[in-house]
Amino acid sequence: MVVGEFTEQADLLVIGGGPGGYSAAIRASQLGRNVTLVERGDIGGVCLNVGCIPSKALIELSSRFHELDGLAKRGVVTEDAHIDPVALVQTVTASVERLTSGVRQLLKAADVQIVQGEASFVGPNEVRVRASHETSRIKFKDCILATGSSPRELEGFVVDHQHILDSTDLLFAPVVRRDLIVIGGGYIGIELGSAHARLGTKVTILEMAPEILMGVEPEIQRTLRSVLKQMGVEVHTGIKVKGVKTTGDAVVVEIQAGSTVEQIRAGAVAVMVGRVPNLGDDLALGTAGVGIGPEGRLVVDEQMRTANPHVFAIGDIVAGPMLAHKAYYEAKVAAEAATGRPTGNDATVIPAVIFSEPEVASAGLGEQEARDRFGDDVVVARFPYRANGRAIVLGAAVGELKVVAAKATGRLLGVHIVGIDASNLISEAALAIELGATIDDLALTIHPHPTLSEMYPEAAEVAQGMPTHIITQRG
């Protein structure tokens, strides 16, 4: 027994206070469980504190600033527009503080007990919690693991927060850099790289894969590369990063493309090469009878239950995309299962959004994935933003809405959007796919005019071969 260690009892224990963890705690409390939540850092986790919320705040501000040039050409003149880096960071920070404070109030209202510290299993129904000044034990009846994920490290790149940066540095540093190298062409690199480019930084993006944003539709990749080029962002794909060195007030990154080796210099380099689930040895999962699967995630059933029937797992540490809204959903499934309710994870589709310039959003099957599954029984139709009245009024005519459907039945299989407000438009697609809607359903649903959402019935009409607002070749 460690000196100062004592044992407490918990009805339902939640480990991790991010979107999944705090949602599970609130729902379990609503269902009558007495809940204890253990969090080693700040309530809200990565998403609220250093991820989703501050990054979208920065992206929104940078987008508004970038729009000023276009507004001037359209008759709205803004003289001496410039960035105040200190005020910018204060705005980003304020958005974080408001939301994390709100989550704390919600947990308090739900009578959730919050314990600060890092948990590790010492048995199948007991954890040790190490805090700064004491160590305690908690025995539980049921436990929900929601430990989230952390940035993947890149060998040879040690973050010093001056020349070698992580994503947090790009969110909260009160400075607009002259130039920046971003290693990683996934959604985080594209989002934050393009945000800083809109603020005036010369950005170079390096990606090891043959294309940026691997997994999205090829035409979306092409659209983004074109827009990034217009913004002055250099994108290099198929690149192997060999090393980095600091020289004075700059960094030099050595890269290799094929047999060619060259060096790229900038004021700083940001490493954003993905995330890994927080399932380290310190958690001692084996002690709880919970094993890590072949893909480095915990294996769970449809109720989010692990091999230990009293331990559930949700979010980034189980299979599927590392998305906060996925964790929200799984949290409620786990909380309800832990109370004995008949529930299960039966989501048909998980929408995904990339807050790039322009935005990207998808739900369901991609074109190639659909053809791999269904062969020739697939119809694909597109409607361009440039033919939508609302997009033209907004001065945002770049992009398209693409639908993928079964040819025989017309059932909607997937929707992919690149363009302004794609993040909001995709929800209709997710609902339509969940409800088993068809192309005819989309075409016959009256949408308000003039709106971006009108592109749904317009794309459906293209699939039917009878478009109203674009000209197609007659067969």
Side-chain angles (χ1 to χ4, degrees):
M1 177 72 72
V2 177
V3 175
E5 186 171 296
F6 55 93
T7 302
E8 297 180 352
Q9 302 292 325
D11 179 25
L12 188 144
L13 177 68
V14 177
I15 301 178
Y22 76 70
S23 297
I26 292 171
R27 178 55 57 90
S29 176
Q30 291 168 338
L31 295 174
R33 300 297 296 266
N34 293 318
V35 183
T36 300
L37 186 153
V38 176
E39 169 57 52
R40 67 181 180 180
D42 296 319
I43 292 295
V46 168
C47 179
L48 267 65
N49 290 283
V50 294
C52 312
I53 298 305
S55 68
K56 303 316 171 282
L58 178 67
I59 288 166
E60 179 66 19
L61 291 169
S62 69
S63 182
R64 296 289 181 90
F65 178 70
H66 187 64
E67 288 174 359
L68 294 179
D69 285 343
L71 288 174
K73 295 175 182 177
R74 297 164 64 194
V76 180
V77 179
T78 55
E79 295 181 2
D80 192 32
H82 64 281
I83 293 294
D84 180 339
V86 174
L88 187 76
V89 170
Q90 288 173 344
T91 302
V92 172
T93 303
S95 67
V96 172
E97 292 174 347
R98 179 175 180 178
L99 284 169
T100 54
S101 174
V103 170
R104 284 188 173 276
Q105 291 177 28
L106 292 171
L107 290 168
K108 182 178 180 180
D111 292 325
V112 174
Q113 179 185 359
I114 299 175
V115 177
Q116 197 75 32
E118 186 163 3
S120 60
F121 286 95
V122 293
N125 69 333
E126 187 174 2
V127 298
R128 174 182 286 121
V129 179
R130 294 181 176 86
S132 57
H133 300 297
E134 63 182 13
T135 301
S136 61
R137 291 190 181 218
I138 300 176
K139 286 187 176 182
F140 58 82
K141 292 180 182 178
D142 294 296
C143 175
I144 298 176
L145 286 171
T147 52
S149 62
S150 299
R152 186 185 302 276
E153 296 180 356
L154 184 62
E155 185 178 356
F157 287 73
V158 179
V159 174
D160 61 11
H161 307 292
Q162 292 184 350
H163 295 103
I164 301 179
L165 315 174
D166 59 18
S167 58
T168 303
D169 295 318
L170 295 187
L171 295 173
F172 296 104
V175 60
V176 176
R177 293 176 174 82
R178 183 188 62 190
D179 46 23
L180 174 70
I181 297 170
V182 174
I183 300 179
Y187 78 94
I188 301 175
I190 295 298
E191 285 185 352
L192 294 185
S194 58
H196 279 263
R198 290 192 294 267
L199 295 176
T201 299
K202 175 66 176 70
V203 175
T204 301
I205 296 176
L206 308 177
E207 171 54 48
M208 180 177 65
E211 189 51 85
I212 58 172
L213 297 177
M214 292 295 292
V216 307
E217 301 296 91
E219 56 267 53
I220 289 178
Q221 293 171 336
R222 291 192 292 270
T223 297
L224 283 181
R225 289 196 70 146
S226 175
V227 174
L228 287 169
K229 184 177 181 180
Q230 293 173 18
M231 291 168 55
V233 177
E234 290 187 21
V235 177
H236 301 274
T237 54
I239 294 295
K240 180 179 180 180
V241 178
K242 299 181 66 66
V244 62
K245 61 181 179 180
T246 302
T247 58
D249 60 351
V251 292
V252 177
V253 178
E254 186 175 75
I255 63 173
Q256 181 175 352
S259 59
T260 303
V261 177
E262 63 177 302
Q263 295 181 335
I264 300 178
R265 176 187 294 266
V269 56
V271 179
M272 287 172 281
V273 291
R275 302 186 65 81
V276 293
N278 291 330
L279 295 172
D281 295 339
D282 291 345
L283 200 53
L285 291 169
T287 306
V290 177
I292 299 176
E295 297 183 357
R297 311 271 192 106
L298 298 187
V299 178
V300 295
D301 63 15
E302 64 178 12
Q303 291 191 322
M304 314 311 297
R305 197 185 306 267
T306 69
N308 181 334
H310 294 284
V311 177
F312 301 79
I314 62 173
D316 293 356
I317 58 177
V318 301
M322 292 182 175
L323 299 170
H325 47 278
K326 167 181 170 285
Y328 284 137
Y329 175 84
E330 293 171 344
K332 292 159 190 175
V333 172
E336 291 172 2
T339 63
R341 301 209 168 199
T343 186
N345 184 347
D346 61 354
T348 300
V349 63
I350 301 174
V353 175
I354 302 166
F355 291 85
S356 50
E357 182 68 41
E359 291 182 352
V360 172
S362 63
L365 301 182
E367 179 179 350
Q368 189 57 53
E369 188 178 8
R371 295 192 188 283
D372 290 344
R373 290 195 193 184
F374 303 106
D376 293 334
D377 186 31
V378 173
V379 60
V380 176
R382 302 171 176 84
F383 191 83
Y385 269 65
R386 66 176 181 273
N388 175 266
R390 179 67 173 169
I392 293 172
V393 169
L394 293 172
V398 174
E400 69 175 19
L401 186 149
K402 171 181 176 179
V403 297
V404 181
K407 186 180 296 184
T409 64
R411 182 165 180 169
L412 192 63
L413 301 174
V415 173
H416 306 269
I417 309 171
V418 56
I420 188 173
D421 214 28
S423 56
N424 288 313
L425 289 171
I426 200 62
S427 294
E428 179 175 345
L431 180 61
I433 295 170
E434 286 284 353
L435 295 178
T438 66
I439 288 295
D440 288 347
D441 291 327
L442 288 184
L444 294 172
T445 299
I446 298 175
H447 287 66
H449 174 78
T451 64
L452 297 173
S453 66
E454 288 178 284
M455 289 187 290
Y456 278 105
E458 297 273 18
E461 288 183 351
V462 174
Q464 294 172 329
M466 298 182 292
T468 301
H469 290 110
I470 61 173
I471 300 172
T472 59
Q473 296 293 325
R474 295 190 178 187

